[in-house]
C-alpha cells in the first residue's frame, strides 16, 4: 500500500510509487529490460487504460528500465451482454 487513503488508490501517483519500487527490485535482480502487458477493464466497461497505466509506463522508463514491447491485453468481447443504462441510455 503506497498511499494512506482509499480514494487515492487508483490515482496516477500511487501507480508511480508502485512502479518505482518495481524498478528498484528489478535492478536488484539484474533485470534491465522489460516487455510490458497493460490491461484496461474491458468487456462492457471502458476499453482504454487510465492515468495510472500511463504514469506507470512513464515511471518505468524514467527509472532507467529499457522497454521493449508494450502490448494491450484488454479483453474485447466478441458477443456480449447489454451495457448498463437501459434502452434510453444514461440520463444526466
Amino acid at each position: 500500500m503506497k498511499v494512506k487513503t482509499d480514494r487515492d488508490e487508483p490515482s496516477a501517483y500511487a501507480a508511480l510509487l508502485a512502479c518505482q519500487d518495481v524498478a528498484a527490485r528489478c535492478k536488484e535482480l539484474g533485470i534491465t529490460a522489460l516487455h510490458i502487458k497493460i490491461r484496461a477493464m474491458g468487456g462492457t466497461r471502458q476499453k482504454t487504460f487510465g492515468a495510472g497505466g500511463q504514469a506507470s509506463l512513464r515511471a518505468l522508463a524514467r527509472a532507467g528500465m529499457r522497454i521493449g514491447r508494450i502490448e494491450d491485453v484488454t479483453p474485447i468481447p466478441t458477443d456480449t451482454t447489454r451495457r448498463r443504462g437501459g434502452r434510453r441510455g444514461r440520463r444526466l
Side-chain angles (χ1 to χ4, degrees), residues 27-57:
K27 286 184 180 179
E28 287 176 11
L29 296 173
I31 299 171
T32 59
L34 298 172
H35 292 306
I36 296 173
K37 291 184 178 182
I38 193 160
R39 180 183 187 273
M41 296 285 251
T44 57
R45 298 189 188 144
Q46 66 182 13
K47 312 277 190 297
T48 58
F49 52 89
Q54 296 170 7
S56 61
L57 284 175

Side-chain angles (χ1 to χ4, degrees), residues 2-79:
K2 297 294 165 193
V3 289
K4 292 182 191 263
T5 59
D6 288 337
R7 68 170 184 247
D8 290 336
E9 281 288 327
S11 68
Y13 179 66
L16 182 131
L17 293 178
C19 280
Q20 285 175 350
D21 287 352
V22 167
R25 178 77 175 135
C26 286
K27 286 184 180 179
E28 287 176 11
L29 296 173
I31 299 171
T32 59
L34 298 172
H35 292 306
I36 296 173
K37 291 184 178 182
I38 193 160
R39 180 183 187 273
M41 296 285 251
T44 57
R45 298 189 188 144
Q46 66 182 13
K47 312 277 190 297
T48 58
F49 52 89
Q54 296 170 7
S56 61
L57 284 175
R58 228 176 294 120
L60 286 172
R62 205 178 309 139
M65 303 298 293
R66 289 188 18 238
I67 297 174
R69 198 175 296 135
I70 301 171
E71 184 179 354
D72 185 14
V73 292
T74 303
I76 305 294
T78 54
D79 189 18

Side-chain angles (χ1 to χ4, degrees), residues 82 85-91:
R82 288 173 60 102
R87 178 177 173 178
R88 288 170 45 194
R90 181 171 175 254
R91 293 173 295 284

